[in-house]
Amino acid sequence: MAWSIDSIPNQEGRISLITGANSGLGLDTAQALLKKGATVILGCRSLEKAKKTRKKLSRETNSENIDVLEIDLADLNKVNQAADQIIIKYRKLDLLINNAGVMAPPRTVSKQGLELQFAINHLSHMCLTLKLLPLIAEKPRGRIVTVSSGAQYMGKIIWDDLQGKKNYDRWAYYSQSKLANVMFAVELHHKLKRSNIDVFSLSAHPGLARTNLQSTSVKANGSWQEAIAYKLISPIFQSSLMGSLPQLLAATDQNARSGEQYGPQFNFKGQPKLCKIAPPALDRLQREQLWEISTNLIGNYVDISRGKEVLNNKK
Ligand SMILES: NC(=O)c1ccc[n+]([C@@H]2O[C@H](COP(=O)([O-])OP(=O)(O)OC[C@H]3O[C@@H](n4cnc5c(N)ncnc54)[C@H](OP(=O)(O)O)[C@@H]3O)[C@@H](O)[C@H]2O)c1
């Protein structure tokens, strides 16, 4: 039988944090989890949007178990503050979905001067994960799902120009950030396993889904050619709900295993299924190199030592 939101097991008693939960895949993911009884924390860069989303979701799902969290992933200090709020408020966190993202803007930098896609899509999610890991590891069966893209298969890590200072190509740097998502998810899986921690790390990608991602990208670039291209090809995109199924499966299915990746059956659309991991993410040396560079960059601004300790403490 095809996997659908009806396949999601009961989520009562489980607490989930989703970044970018006010739109697209994040919104559909939040709705599906709420319908199954989860408590969902909507991590959004705009508190106003988050509150509107809470109202809408509460109406649609009849659930009051919705919290809001202001988190701007373009600023590591804000990520740090947001994680601290969760740590103070909650005694456990069962599920973290690293979902928010930006696609192919003109070269822009984060508050810390880091290339925006690498910063938002990869570094800030890694920072959030390492800050929250002690809380997630408090209880068994925690899960961390990092949302990637089919762009991972075209991506490479541009080691000699990670920040695109010399030669920025907005699509190459989007692909780099989405490959980094998978490399992070796989390396985290291995580190959790080596430390015998009962937390799963998986990745998922949605194929091509109709969300705000494309229009936001067109707006940032002012490209009428891309606007027309998206209009022409959008009929072949799948719905946002269908696009959210791989991450929902990775987040909830009892047969899904740590280290796996889920995506649509026909690469860009279709039912969710186990899918291939881009080759550089299977290369331990590359993963470890990226992990080290990333933790050093994050560590310049945020204390992630507790998360590192959890991973280094063999149980
Ligand atoms: N749609 C697709 O076809 C597709 C394909 C491959 C991968 N993906 C991945 O799917 C994920 C979700 O994207 P989507 O398609 O659902 O797009 P979307 O509708 O544009 O949602 C992206 C979300 O990320 C949030 N976001 C952007 N910058 C942020 C920041 N600095 N801090 C916090 N949140 C921020 C956005 O907030 P605002 O609403 O405030 O802008 C929005 O909630 C992304 O990681 C994307 O790379 C999507």
Side-chain angles (χ1 to χ4, degrees):
M1 210 178 69
W3 201 93
S4 71
I5 49 169
D6 295 332
S7 316
I8 299 173
N10 188 335
Q11 296 292 303
E12 277 167 38
R14 286 181 73 77
I15 303 176
S16 309
L17 166 61
I18 307 167
T19 64
N22 60 289
S23 126
L25 309 177
L27 178 61
D28 281 309
T29 301
Q31 190 186 58
L33 292 174
L34 284 165
K35 280 184 178 162
K36 291 288 179 171
T39 292
V40 175
I41 307 162
L42 310 170
C44 305
R45 73 171 138 183
S46 148
L47 203 53
E48 202 188 321
K49 278 189 194 172
K51 285 179 179 166
K52 271 192 193 153
T53 306
R54 173 167 61 186
K55 243 188 188 162
K56 172 182 144 63
L57 285 171
S58 174
R59 220 177 27 241
E60 288 169 356
T61 63
N62 248 334
S63 172
E64 294 299 318
N65 299 330
I66 313 172
D67 200 355
V68 292
L69 175 75
E70 186 175 5
I71 179 165
D72 181 358
L73 297 157
D75 183 348
L76 283 166
N77 293 320
K78 298 255 175 76
V79 176
N80 189 26
Q81 285 165 14
D84 281 340
Q85 284 182 46
I86 296 286
I87 293 164
I88 290 167
K89 190 163 177 185
Y90 288 91
R91 278 186 299 128
K92 66 161 192 162
L93 184 64
D94 301 286
L95 173 63
L96 167 64
I97 306 193
N98 291 321
N99 164 81
V102 285
M103 181 176 75
R107 189 170 189 282
T108 322
V109 293
S110 70
K111 184 80 182 187
Q112 284 71 34
L114 302 161
E115 191 279 313
L116 198 70
Q117 302 180 86
F118 193 69
I120 290 180
N121 299 355
H122 168 59
L123 287 176
S124 283
H125 280 126
M126 183 170 184
C127 174
L128 183 65
T129 305
L130 290 176
K131 281 277 304 187
L132 294 177
L133 190 58
L135 187 66
I136 300 171
E138 275 287 311
K139 300 268 186 254
R141 296 190 305 115
R143 285 200 198 190
I144 297 157
V145 176
T146 302
V147 178
S148 179
S149 158
Q152 70 182 278
Y153 302 114
M154 289 161 268
K156 58 177 197 253
I157 304 296
I158 306 156
W159 298 109
D160 61 347
D161 189 18
L162 213 52
Q163 305 298 334
K165 283 185 185 162
K166 291 189 249 170
N167 191 13
Y168 178 75
D169 174 304
R170 57 201 181 87
W171 287 106
Y173 280 80
Y174 177 65
S175 303
Q176 168 177 265
S177 72
K178 290 285 133 184
L179 173 61
N181 283 150
V182 189
M183 291 170 78
F184 165 65
V186 175
E187 185 56 23
L188 180 62
H189 152 69
H190 286 291
K191 285 185 165 23
L192 290 164
K193 198 172 159 200
R194 278 200 291 273
S195 308
N196 210 9
I197 297 166
D198 188 7
V199 172
F200 279 9
S201 166
L202 302 94
S203 57
H205 83 84
L208 293 175
R210 266 185 301 275
T211 64
N212 288 341
L213 196 69
Q214 298 82 17
S215 54
T216 305
S217 175
V218 163
K219 208 163 144 199
N221 289 290
S223 163
W224 61 266
Q225 294 95 331
E226 271 181 26
I228 292 174
Y230 281 129
K231 223 177 197 142
L232 291 174
I233 60 169
S234 85
I236 65 162
F237 280 32
Q238 59 182 353
S239 67
S240 172
L241 177 62
M242 277 301 288
S244 70
L245 292 185
Q247 63 203 59
L248 280 163
L249 191 162
T252 64
D253 195 84
Q254 323 237 316
N255 295 317
R257 288 282 153 263
S258 189
E260 292 178 343
Q261 174 165 244
Y262 288 86
Q265 191 174 7
F266 305 110
N267 298 325
F268 69 93
K269 71 195 297 182
Q271 293 300 322
K273 70 159 186 57
L274 193 62
C275 72
K276 275 193 197 144
I277 285 172
L282 298 171
D283 179 340
R284 180 174 177 166
L285 283 180
Q286 285 200 54
R287 286 199 316 265
E288 286 180 348
Q289 191 178 348
L290 183 66
W291 186 280
E292 174 144 6
I293 291 171
S294 303
T295 46
N296 286 341
L297 282 170
I298 296 166
N300 288 332
Y301 308 97
V302 179
D303 179 5
I304 46 171
S305 56
R306 290 213 49 227
K308 283 173 150 178
E309 271 165 32
V310 169
L311 291 173
N312 289 330
N313 273 346
K314 307 271 177 293
K315 273 194 186 164

